[in-house]
Amino acid sequence: MARILVTGGAGFIGSNLCSKLVKDKDNYVICMDNLYTGRMENIRHLMGLPNFKFILHNVQEPFKTDVDQIYNAACPASPPAYAKTPIETVKTCVMGSINMLDLATESGARIMQFSTSEIYGNPAVHPQTEDYWGHVNPIGLRSCYDEGKRCAETLCFDYHRQAGTQIKVIRIFNTYGPAMDPNDGRVVSNFIMQALRGEDITIFGDGSQTRSFQYIDDLLDGIDRMMNESRPDFSGPVNLGNPHEFSMLELAEKILSKIGGKSKIVFMPLPLDDPTRRRPDITLAKQELNNWEPSIQLDEGLERTIEYFRTLL
Ligand code: UDP
């Protein structure tokens, strides 16, 4: 039986990953979360399963257990959430990664670091390739997350070189789907909840900034291929994202046209350091992950996500 630790296992991506991993009865899934942004609702259906265990623990504190694989997904990921307690955000990224890399090294486990497109900052190269080093403000409101995640990547590669730790680093671009927190302030959840409630749709800035949205199932497929099927000496980093790029205005219009109702679009100030554009180059993922590419496009993914949010209401 493979013992698999998922940190941030009650979060949006972590809980979807746990739900997928427990389906294989040869996996024993240990879900760790301190419930800062993770939510018990996301894992309630897993509690009581013989191959699932929840542990309330902050990844900033050392943790010892026997494991074969670690998915290090713990960190608030929504800009309002991570900027509210920036010191904890940095600690989660840096101390959390040290603790998990120590555990991986001691147990001979393979560890996957959930990095992010945020490490590219406000990118001067478009679309973003893995060899682009980024354009990041080190002292701004988003820096706790951007620099924290960059340092976590550094730690992975230093443990790999110095201690021989088996690492896999993925850079996740904007991802959405069921189990997102309706109140965490991210654009997809905000727009859908606002449209369902008939409230104004809040576009920050003029709505011309772009993002590329990946449906959760495509990400999970990429994660599986990277962890379990990629060459042992391929550590990444590798971009996992959907290369179709949309402006926030286009996203708002798409969501409004699907939900209908009386919501109007309103424009609000753009947060500081908000990246103007974001799109992954996924050539490397295709090449190394057996032709991986996203198969669920925004229309279909949004419909499934809207259904999820409707059931919450
Ligand atoms: N955004 C927006 N309205 C909202 C929430 C976010 O226009 O109610 C914008 C935000 O300024 C950013 C984009 O949507 O340009 C994506 O924001 P999100 O917080 O989802 O992710 P990130 O900025 O980390 O990519």
Side-chain angles (χ1 to χ4, degrees), residues 248-282:
M248 293 313 99
L249 196 55
E250 285 171 314
L251 178 71
E253 282 163 354
K254 220 178 228 313
I255 289 175
L256 266 180
S257 76
K258 290 190 187 300
I259 296 180
K262 59 181 171 44
S263 298
K264 296 188 312 292
I265 290 179
V266 296
F267 294 91
M268 300 180 59
L270 188 66
L272 277 177
D273 291 331
D274 198 284
T276 49
R277 53 193 186 164
R278 197 50 84 56
R279 168 154 61 102
D281 181 311
I282 58 166

Side-chain angles (χ1 to χ4, degrees), residues 77-80 82 118 142 174 185-188 190-191 194 202-205 209-211 213 248 270-271 274-275 278:
S78 157
Y82 63 65
E118 277 290 317
R142 295 174 84 108
N174 294 66
R186 305 211 73 176
V187 71
V188 172
N190 271 10
F191 286 0
Q194 288 163 342
T202 55
I203 289 190
F204 300 163
Q209 73 271 38
T210 67
R211 296 292 187 273
F213 297 100
M248 293 313 99
L270 188 66
D274 198 284
R278 197 50 84 56

